[in-house]
Amino acid sequence: MIGRTSRSRGDRRFRFARWTLLLAVLAVSTVIGLLHQKARHLGVVGVDALCPFGGIESLWALLTAGVFIKRIAWGSVVLLAGAVALNLVAGRVFCGQFCPLGTLQELFGVLRGRFGVTRRESPRIVDVPARMLKFGVFGVFTWLAWLFGTLVIRPYDPWVAYHHLTSPELLTEFGIGTAVLGVSLAGSFLYDRFFCKYLCPMGAFLALFSRVSWFRVTRVAPACVDCGACDGVCPVNIEVSKVRTVVDDSECIACGLCVDACPKSEALEVRGRRGGHLTPLALVGVTALAMLGIVAVTTLLGLMGFTTR
Ligand code: SF4
Ligand code: SF4
């Protein structure tokens, strides 16, 4: 019998560890945002200075003039470096195991389950071109930031809007970002990871080279029993059960959910190009160690810059 009750591989430790990491990062980010808004005297930096996309937006100024553009600090570059290094090793684990905006969207997917609503999937004719949008968002806003030396995306950024939920500027300066946030969360309630799939510039950047990662989800067709459990849990709607060998799709966010859901341990694994494999739990561990490690080291060196003084 194949199904949820016969699943031999579902690992509670993985799901617990993954949600612990996701929620912890979301909680810390939220607290930093609140302190920035409500306790200005503490000098806590704004969300922009702790977003890896800010590192990309500031890269030109940093390389050509040795300065950051306004609101960006080393924290953005540190997180960007961590996300890129992890991308080369294990794919988009930054998205699948760490990003707080991804977590917020997944929480709305969980909410859908609680309400007994069925997940929807956009028709291919809409879905395929819509997924290209995020590459446009990435290209246009990176170019504008490099051109003008300022965070042009800021008023449209749902993550900045989230960090201004208690601000009087929420519906004025950040009105569009708030609308994007609302659409993204409502979309994630129905479709899963709506913003990640269609609009996120950071996800687009990581997708550009996620295919070269060392570890990738790999399917061993003869061992597969075609139960479709992997397809059902994939938050970005990859048909894992149809993949011939490797999930060579830049949309994969390396969440590990498909591997965890597979009832046949030998059918689906996160494998290295020259052997070896990572369990879904190890994906979480590697992400936590790399991201928290790099933040801890740069904080100890006084480079992270959580405060402006
Ligand atoms: S695609 Fe963007 S919002 Fe989604 S998890 Fe990745 S960085 Fe976060
Ligand atoms: S293919 Fe698997 S690891 Fe990749 S996003 Fe889908 S469920 Fe997650």
Side-chain angles (χ1 to χ4, degrees), residues 17 27 43 99 103 116 128 132 164 167 194 196 245 248 274 290 296-297 306:
C99 174
T103 307
V128 173
M132 293 298 118
H164 287 82
S167 160
F194 190 87
C196 302
T245 49
D248 189 21
R274 300 223 177 121
V297 170
F306 283 115

Side-chain angles (χ1 to χ4, degrees), residues 12 15 32 76 91 135 159 166 168 174-175 217 245 273-274 282 293 305:
R12 277 193 195 166
R15 289 191 293 274
I32 288 175
S76 295
F135 295 101
W159 193 233
T166 58
F174 303 108
V217 174
T245 49
R273 288 174 187 261
R274 300 223 177 121

Side-chain angles (χ1 to χ4, degrees), residues 92 94-96 99-102 105 193 195-197 200-204 206 253:
R92 291 173 57 186
F94 174 82
C95 300
C99 174
L101 182 50
Q105 294 171 82
R193 293 252 183 176
F195 182 75
C196 302
K197 283 188 281 205
C200 180
M202 184 65 200
L206 293 175
I253 56 171

Side-chain angles (χ1 to χ4, degrees), residues 136-147:
V137 173
F138 166 71
V140 167
F141 283 108
T142 300
W143 177 66
L144 290 175
W146 289 11
L147 188 66

Side-chain angles (χ1 to χ4, degrees), residues 33-273:
L34 281 173
L35 289 176
H36 177 70
Q37 286 296 314
K38 297 291 171 196
R40 296 247 168 197
H41 61 285
L42 295 177
V44 175
V45 289
V47 58
D48 310 278
L50 296 173
C51 171
F53 187 59
I56 299 172
E57 291 169 291
S58 202
L59 212 52
W60 183 253
L62 197 57
L63 293 176
T64 55
V67 295
F68 291 112
I69 61 176
K70 194 177 168 196
R71 300 179 192 281
I72 300 301
W74 277 112
S76 295
V77 179
V78 167
L79 293 173
L80 175 64
V84 168
L86 273 171
N87 208 23
L88 295 174
V89 175
R92 291 173 57 186
V93 280
F94 174 82
C95 300
Q97 317 286 353
F98 198 83
C99 174
L101 182 50
T103 307
L104 208 52
Q105 294 171 82
E106 277 202 28
L107 286 173
F108 275 74
V110 171
L111 207 59
R112 177 188 65 235
R114 293 275 182 269
F115 280 99
V117 177
T118 309
R119 180 175 78 165
R120 297 199 188 164
E121 287 187 27
S122 317
R124 265 186 78 77
I125 194 166
V126 177
D127 183 65
V128 173
R131 288 193 194 231
M132 293 298 118
L133 265 178
K134 61 179 173 291
F135 295 101
V137 173
F138 166 71
V140 167
F141 283 108
T142 300
W143 177 66
L144 290 175
W146 289 11
L147 188 66
F148 296 114
T150 179
L151 295 176
V152 179
I153 199 172
R154 201 162 184 266
Y156 317 109
D157 186 333
W159 193 233
V160 174
Y162 173 76
H163 282 275
H164 287 82
L165 286 179
T166 58
S167 160
E169 296 161 333
L170 181 68
L171 297 177
T172 53
E173 186 177 345
F174 303 108
I176 297 177
T178 304
V180 176
L181 178 66
V183 168
S184 299
L185 297 181
S188 296
F189 180 82
L190 294 173
Y191 294 93
D192 275 348
R193 293 252 183 176
F194 190 87
F195 182 75
C196 302
K197 283 188 281 205
Y198 301 124
L199 292 170
C200 180
M202 184 65 200
F205 170 70
L206 293 175
L208 290 177
F209 55 102
S210 63
R211 282 181 175 159
V212 302
S213 71
W214 190 260
F215 286 95
R216 295 160 316 160
V217 174
T218 305
R219 176 173 171 262
V220 178
C224 172
V225 290
D226 285 323
C227 66
C230 49
D231 302 342
V233 295
C234 180
V236 292
N237 315 103
I238 295 171
E239 290 191 299
V240 186
S241 67
K242 306 279 188 301
V243 166
R244 286 176 67 182
T245 49
V246 169
V247 175
D248 189 21
D249 189 325
S250 60
E251 293 290 308
C252 174
I253 56 171
C255 64
L257 294 173
C258 55
V259 177
D260 184 63
C262 177
K264 303 289 281 184
S265 59
E266 62 278 28
L268 214 52
E269 277 185 340
V270 180
R271 281 196 190 169
R273 288 174 187 261

